[in-house]
Amino acid sequence: MAGVQPSGGIEEPLDLVRLALNELVRVRLRGQRELRGRLHAFDQHLNMILGDVEETTVSVEVDEETFEEIITTERRKFPMLFVRGDTVVLISPGITT
Amino acid sequence: MAPMLAAFVGKHVSVLTLDGRNVVGELVGFDQTHNLVLRHARERNFERGAAVVHVELGLFLLRGDNLAIVGEISAELDRQTQWSAIRGRSLKPIVH
Amino acid sequence: MLFFSVFKTLVGKEVVVELKNDLTIRGRLHSVDQYLNVKIEDITVLDADTHPHLLSVKNCFIRGSVVRYIHLAPKDVDVELLEDATRRQLKEMKRAQMSASS
């Protein structure tokens, strides 16, 4: 991106992620998956390593008889997780809870 | 570094594809795009609750784009496995 | 190349590879390449009752692009080292971009 700024500032998208290193982040993945955890490493593909991760998966099934939508939420925990970047939709830094 | 599939050439392998198929056969060769040549190959179909069905495929090339896993079959473990008694279900396709 | 280096340090360690078709494979990391294709030894499939496909397989090659997660043991990972390596790699990328555009 254009513009020279002092080092440590935000010049391009990955800088936002760099500032989130060793901080809690929320990562949205394809397929209604969301991760919360501490960011320990990432690269330009947004491959990542997260610590103390909680994954939330939301799935919607339609009841065959009543056509009601049944929404189920599944939660899993992982102490240390490598996440392949090609499923990452967004990363948001600085969650407090 | 030697390509990782080199150790499997001449061996009996079980291949899983992106669309969830399972093919077993002898790995004759491969290239850098993971195209595989298999011979004496058969497809194993797992349907929920039903016995495993084998379909003969013979000699063919599998395009690398469709490849998910290549497993080296251990003759010893294969002898211990009663495929006729196995009930599984088909694999989901890989969703990127 | 950061994660290629990271996984090279994990060779011989126990990992759990979760694929994008929900198949989950536990085993020992044997090798990795720059595309993060991996080879796993002495595997067990975690849901082998419903997924018996790899019952007679001991060692397997997994294409990097079908991996969703690789579960690691925290004791095998030095997080400070990772964070430093991430910052260093980012700096190198920027320097390369600068010299390419000037």
Side-chain angles (χ1 to χ4, degrees), chain B residues 5 21 30 41 44 46 50 63 70 72-73 84 89 92:
Chain B
L5 285 174
R21 291 166 197 262
F30 67 94
R44 263 187 206 150
F46 295 83
R63 199 172 137 85
V70 185
E72 178 187 355
I73 292 177
S84 56
R89 64 169 79 160
K92 289 186 209 166

Side-chain angles (χ1 to χ4, degrees), chain B residues 4-5 7 18 34 46 64-65 67-74 78 83 86-87 89 91-92 94-96, chain C residues 19-23 25 31 33 37 39 49-53 55-61 63 65-66:
Chain B
M4 286 198 267
L5 285 174
L18 294 194
H34 301 133
F46 295 83
D65 295 341
L67 182 73
I69 293 185
V70 185
E72 178 187 355
I73 292 177
S74 142
D78 204 40
W83 285 106
I86 298 275
R87 299 288 183 276
R89 64 169 79 160
L91 278 169
K92 289 186 209 166
I94 296 275
V95 183
H96 287 291
Chain C
L19 309 185
K20 290 171 182 163
N21 60 6
D22 295 343
L23 196 70
I25 297 170
S31 51
D33 69 12
N37 299 317
K39 222 159 108 177
D49 288 346
T50 47
H51 299 126
H53 307 69
L55 266 183
S56 54
V57 169
K58 223 173 175 174
N59 309 321
C60 76
F61 164 86
R63 210 151 158 238
S65 59
V66 306

Side-chain angles (χ1 to χ4, degrees), chain A residues 39-64:
Chain A
L39 181 67
H40 293 306
F42 69 92
D43 66 8
Q44 70 272 32
H45 308 292
L46 293 183
N47 293 320
M48 285 180 268
I49 288 179
L50 300 173
D52 279 326
V53 191
E54 184 178 74
E55 181 205 51
T56 312
T57 317
V58 178
S59 58
V60 179
E61 276 178 75
V62 178
D63 190 296
E64 285 178 17

Side-chain angles (χ1 to χ4, degrees), chain B residues 74-85:
Chain B
S74 142
E76 191 192 336
L77 287 180
D78 204 40
R79 265 196 302 278
Q80 292 165 11
T81 309
Q82 287 283 335
W83 285 106
S84 56

Side-chain angles (χ1 to χ4, degrees), chain B residues 21-87:
Chain B
R21 291 166 197 262
N22 181 203
V23 179
V24 293
E26 184 197 327
L27 182 63
V28 181
F30 67 94
D31 64 19
Q32 69 276 24
T33 62
H34 301 133
N35 292 321
L36 305 182
V37 174
L38 296 170
R39 73 173 167 198
H40 309 309
R42 0 189 244 169
E43 183 175 343
R44 263 187 206 150
N45 289 318
F46 295 83
E47 291 298 333
R48 190 193 289 253
V52 180
V53 177
H54 286 95
V55 180
E56 296 296 328
L57 297 173
L59 174 74
F60 71 99
L61 178 145
L62 179 87
R63 199 172 137 85
D65 295 341
N66 299 306
L67 182 73
I69 293 185
V70 185
E72 178 187 355
I73 292 177
S74 142
E76 191 192 336
L77 287 180
D78 204 40
R79 265 196 302 278
Q80 292 165 11
T81 309
Q82 287 283 335
W83 285 106
S84 56
I86 298 275
R87 299 288 183 276

Side-chain angles (χ1 to χ4, degrees), chain A residues 21-81:
Chain A
L21 269 175
N22 198 24
E23 301 286 337
L24 293 176
V25 291
R26 182 170 66 94
V27 182
R28 265 265 274 262
L29 305 178
R30 293 195 188 169
Q32 300 297 313
R33 275 170 212 278
E34 187 169 297
L35 304 173
R36 278 158 192 268
R38 196 170 290 280
L39 181 67
H40 293 306
F42 69 92
D43 66 8
Q44 70 272 32
H45 308 292
L46 293 183
N47 293 320
M48 285 180 268
I49 288 179
L50 300 173
D52 279 326
V53 191
E54 184 178 74
E55 181 205 51
T56 312
T57 317
V58 178
S59 58
V60 179
E61 276 178 75
V62 178
D63 190 296
E64 285 178 17
E65 286 172 8
T66 63
F67 297 104
E68 263 183 291
E69 284 189 349
I70 303 162
I71 299 169
T72 48
T73 309
E74 197 195 325
R75 285 200 165 79
R76 298 192 290 167
K77 288 194 170 174
F78 313 103
M80 194 63 72
L81 194 67

